[in-house]
Amino acid sequence: LVRKVADLAEQKYSTTAPGSSRGLLPSQVSVSIRLSLVITAEILTYAEDAGYLCRDDSVHGVEYFPNMFRTF
């Protein structure tokens, strides 16, 4: 599931126009993988800890992005 979530983030990032929100919201992931928001939050945390995702905490909420730092 962690890899699937990372793939979702990569897909959204690559298909969304710059200037639009390119991150994944936990609620979007929850709907996509058909799990509760609580379990989805844990999966997102695991994906972040594993280095697949980066988190952005802002006034708009928490968004997750593909971790581009892994390529450096």
Side-chain angles (χ1 to χ4, degrees):
L1 280 176
V2 169
R3 187 68 205 151
K4 183 175 181 176
V5 169
D7 290 342
L8 285 172
E10 182 65 42
Q11 180 183 6
K12 179 162 186 203
Y13 187 82
S14 64
T15 59
T16 304
S20 300
S21 176
R22 297 172 86 180
L24 275 179
L25 298 172
S27 58
Q28 293 170 324
V29 177
S30 179
V31 170
S32 293
I33 63 176
R34 298 181 186 168
L35 290 174
S36 73
L37 195 53
V38 174
I39 294 172
T40 300
E42 288 296 318
I43 293 168
L44 288 166
T45 300
Y46 291 142
E48 183 182 10
D49 289 344
Y52 290 110
L53 300 176
C54 289
R55 179 182 64 222
D56 179 24
D57 292 310
S58 71
V59 295
H60 303 290
V62 178
E63 290 183 290
Y64 290 86
F65 296 87
N67 184 0
M68 301 298 183
F69 295 107
R70 292 184 82 175
T71 59
F72 290 112

